């Protein structure tokens, strides 16, 4: 019975991660299709935030420090702004 509950939690987590990945992929496609032709800089900014979202989510769920990834992907002023934001 305990094994079944653990497997159910794992399957639910995988399902939720799949929904998150599909949503991010869809949003990236929409950015490229609709935002980029209008404002390429805004599309790139949104794409950077979208790319760092998965790393931040992983760090939050695992209670890990994700500042190194944020500082690598985002420009210094954006990384500093994001690090100051409440969790």
């Amino acid at each position: 019975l305990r094994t079944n509950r653990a497997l159910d939690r794992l399957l639910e987590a995988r399902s939720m991660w799949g929904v998150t990945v599909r949503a991010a992929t869809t949003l990236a496609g929409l950015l490229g299709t609709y935002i980029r032709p209008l404002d390429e800089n805004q599309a790139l900014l949104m794409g950077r935030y979208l790319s760092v979202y998965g790393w931040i989510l992983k760090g939050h769920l695992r209670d890990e420090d994700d500042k190194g990834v944020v500082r690598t992907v985002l420009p210094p002023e954006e990384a500093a702004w994001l690090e100051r934001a409440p969790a």
Side-chain angles (χ1 to χ4, degrees):
L1 190 60
R2 188 181 304 174
T3 304
N4 289 341
R5 280 189 247 150
L7 183 58
D8 287 343
R9 285 194 304 268
L10 174 65
L11 293 176
E12 180 67 21
R14 290 183 69 190
S15 173
M16 294 174 93
W17 184 252
V19 169
T20 303
V21 169
R22 281 190 298 281
T25 304
T26 301
L27 185 54
L30 291 171
L31 285 172
T33 302
Y34 295 107
I35 305 297
R36 187 170 177 234
L38 300 174
D39 188 351
E40 188 167 351
N41 289 331
Q42 189 67 25
L44 290 173
L45 173 68
M46 294 169 76
R48 281 197 305 266
Y49 285 144
L50 186 59
S51 67
V52 81
Y53 171 74
W55 291 101
I56 291 174
L57 180 61
K58 181 190 86 147
H60 177 73
L61 293 174
R62 294 183 179 179
D63 199 24
E64 296 175 348
D65 184 23
D66 53 11
K67 292 178 183 170
V69 174
V70 172
R71 289 181 188 141
T72 301
V73 175
L74 298 178
E77 63 276 358
E78 292 176 19
W81 173 79
L82 193 57
E83 290 173 6
R84 287 191 307 269

